Amino acid sequence: MVLLKIFRESFRFAIQALIGNRLRTFLSLLGVTIGIFAIVSVFAVVDSLERNIRESVESLGDNVVFVNKWPWAMSGEYPWWKYYQRPVPSLQELSVLEQRLEMAQAVAFVAGAGGKTVKYESNDVEGAEIGAVSHGYQDVYGFELSSGRYFSLLESASGKPVAIIGSNISEELFQGVDPLGKEIKFMGKRAKVIGVFEKVGESIIGDSDDDKIIVPVKFARNFMRLNRESTSPKFLVKAQLGVSNAQLKGDLTRVMRSVRKLSPKAEDNFALNEVSILSKGIDSLFSVIDLAGIIIGGFSLLVGGFGIANIMFVSVKERTNIIGIQKAIGSKSYFILLQFLFEAILLCLTGGILGLLLVYFGTIWVTNFIDFNVILSIHNIIAGLFASVIIGVVSGMLPALSASRLDPVEAIRSGQ
């Protein structure tokens, strides 16, 4: 009952302070509002960016090992001069991997060329990515088609001029016409469309199927240099059910060293990469960004805290006579302290709620006008409110202590 009474009176005094000193209160709340807006908006954007990146990275497959020339290194020393001399994965090595790997469910060779123009009759699309893939690509990648089918084994083996196109390319190139069975032209060659990728949306790491065209690798070698680093050739190897990536990498190391005839003491001249490498790099990157967000928002909250402390000291000064009367009629010091402390917390919470509302409307604007999905999570809302309460406690403690320690006689006399 005592706490309820304190809360009720503190709320009444806070409302009176808000109404009676509009400009001073507005300027004080502005600091907290800006601080909460800064720190929560940074976290909302960073969390949304991290979520989008992780979803894009995880779409590569957590049970897939990538055999590349270059390792995916996110930190530490990177002896590029050593990696530069390595050979790229070749199509000739694919059949050996398929035969000798014991722990792989599927193996695929992938190479590509970006920024190409695709034509159909008088229509054309620029910036398309042309991917050359072996037959096992679908087994490794596991994509979905909105229409049509994947390459047959015969089409892959003989290098038939067939293609599967992305949804964006289908929409822009054919404009409502069924693309199946139509011939498209790219890189000086013609290919018949036999399938269309299901729309997946834009990937933040640039690996979306929507702007991609894939063709059998044996058809692609007629117009694409698959043994050059410019086409980024690589193997995608998917582990069998129950086989860990570590076991698969051991199996891959054994076979790749055998294929390339490396002596027992020679270093590997290939890199085995997996999604977890990128995930660790993302963890390190966003821990730094989170720290920067805390520092930026912290300075804003510090300014807001000084503003609240200032208004509370002024409030104590203005109500010194009332404090003296309250103490004279028996109010305890802790009652006075909690009264002013609750008032500071309510003021900060008001500023925090206003800051969260600004963030909320900002996320709606960004999502609708910039095509980037930003979500104000419950975690960030709770963090914003908690930060408001902490600022209220810290900034209101000294004024509340000074009010609770006033001598009732001196307080009444000073108000006369």
Side-chain angles (χ1 to χ4, degrees):
M1 292 299 293
V2 173
L3 287 176
L4 184 61
K5 183 179 179 182
I6 295 172
F7 180 81
R8 187 172 62 250
E9 291 192 11
S10 299
F11 183 77
R12 180 167 55 85
F13 281 130
I15 294 298
Q16 289 175 351
L18 286 169
I19 296 173
N21 304 281
R22 291 183 181 86
L23 180 60
R24 186 178 67 193
T25 303
F26 170 75
L27 294 174
S28 300
L29 291 179
L30 190 61
V32 178
T33 300
I34 293 174
I36 294 298
F37 172 77
I39 197 167
V40 175
S41 59
V42 167
F43 285 147
V45 172
V46 168
D47 289 350
S48 299
L49 183 62
E50 182 179 4
R51 183 179 61 256
N52 290 340
I53 291 176
R54 288 191 185 279
E55 287 176 356
S56 298
V57 168
E58 289 169 2
S59 68
L60 299 174
D62 57 0
N63 62 340
V64 175
V65 174
F66 299 77
V67 183
N68 306 84
K69 173 180 176 176
W70 300 85
W72 298 347
M74 302 296 288
S75 61
E77 187 180 353
Y78 195 81
W80 60 268
W81 59 90
K82 183 190 300 183
Y83 306 139
Y84 180 77
Q85 301 174 9
R86 292 176 172 180
V88 297
S90 67
L91 191 58
Q92 291 73 25
E93 294 170 334
L94 175 64
S95 59
V96 182
L97 290 178
E98 290 175 331
Q99 293 171 10
R100 295 188 186 178
L101 286 174
E102 299 174 355
M103 299 184 180
Q105 178 181 327
V107 184
F109 177 88
V110 179
K116 303 302 177 182
T117 300
V118 187
K119 296 182 178 181
Y120 170 70
E121 295 181 348
S122 60
N123 299 331
D124 63 79
V125 174
E126 297 180 351
E129 179 186 352
I130 312 299
V133 303
S134 65
H135 192 72
Y137 181 70
Q138 187 184 40
D139 296 328
V140 174
Y141 195 45
F143 55 82
E144 298 291 335
L145 299 178
S146 62
S147 62
R149 59 178 178 82
Y150 187 61
F151 312 128
S152 68
L153 190 57
L154 178 61
E155 289 169 336
S156 294
S158 61
K160 290 284 186 180
V162 290
I164 299 173
I165 64 176
S167 62
N168 287 348
I169 294 176
S170 175
E171 292 169 6
E172 295 177 28
L173 205 59
F174 294 96
Q175 299 179 1
V177 178
D178 185 5
L180 299 182
K182 306 295 190 303
E183 278 196 347
I184 58 175
K185 186 178 180 180
F186 51 86
M187 299 180 72
K189 297 292 181 180
R190 294 182 179 274
K192 183 173 72 172
V193 178
I194 64 169
V196 179
F197 286 112
E198 188 170 322
K199 191 174 186 66
V200 294
E202 186 176 353
S203 170
I204 202 163
I205 62 172
D207 195 44
S208 174
D209 289 334
D210 296 344
D211 298 301
K212 183 186 294 184
I213 297 175
I214 63 169
V215 297
V217 69
K218 291 189 177 179
F219 168 57
R221 65 184 178 183
N222 295 322
F223 56 88
M224 193 183 295
R225 294 184 175 183
L226 302 177
N227 61 342
R228 297 293 180 90
E229 191 170 347
S230 58
T231 58
S232 302
K234 55 184 169 289
F235 296 121
L236 277 61
V237 186
K238 186 176 183 178
Q240 293 178 358
L241 191 65
V243 173
S244 67
N245 280 11
Q247 292 172 312
L248 179 61
K249 288 169 71 175
D251 194 21
L252 267 169
T253 300
R254 173 184 62 83
V255 176
M256 285 297 298
R257 289 184 64 86
S258 173
V259 168
R260 296 190 172 178
K261 298 180 173 57
L262 298 176
S263 65
K265 293 185 179 180
E267 292 185 1
D268 294 341
N269 61 356
F270 53 89
L272 302 181
N273 299 308
E274 52 187 321
V275 170
S276 61
I277 297 174
L278 299 179
S279 298
K280 291 177 183 177
I282 292 170
D283 291 340
S284 301
L285 173 64
F286 281 98
S287 62
V288 174
I289 295 175
D290 286 342
L291 179 60
I294 291 173
I295 293 172
I296 293 169
F299 278 112
S300 299
L301 288 175
L302 185 63
V303 173
F306 279 121
I308 295 296
N310 177 64
I311 195 175
M312 291 307 300
F313 274 118
V314 172
S315 181
V316 171
K317 185 70 175 176
E318 290 178 344
R319 286 152 51 187
T320 300
N321 188 36
I322 297 175
I323 295 169
I325 294 172
Q326 285 180 322
K327 282 202 162 189
I329 62 176
S331 293
K332 302 294 184 182
S333 294
Y334 73 84
F335 181 88
I336 305 297
L337 185 144
L338 290 177
Q339 178 179 305
F340 282 91
L341 193 60
F342 275 17
E343 184 174 331
I345 293 172
L346 284 170
L347 287 171
C348 285
L349 271 177
T350 303
I353 291 170
L354 290 174
L356 289 171
L357 286 174
L358 288 177
V359 175
Y360 174 72
F361 289 119
T363 59
I364 294 175
W365 185 86
V366 170
T367 302
N368 291 335
F369 292 96
I370 304 184
D371 195 25
F372 178 71
N373 190 25
V374 180
I375 298 175
L376 179 59
S377 66
I378 296 296
H379 175 267
N380 286 331
I381 293 174
I382 294 173
L385 294 175
F386 181 73
S388 300
V389 172
I390 294 298
I391 292 298
V393 171
V394 173
S395 60
M397 183 58 72
L398 283 177
L401 282 172
S402 68
S404 66
R405 291 172 180 174
L406 287 174
D407 180 82
V409 176
E410 293 296 328
I412 294 173
R413 185 181 299 168
S414 66
Q416 294 177 350

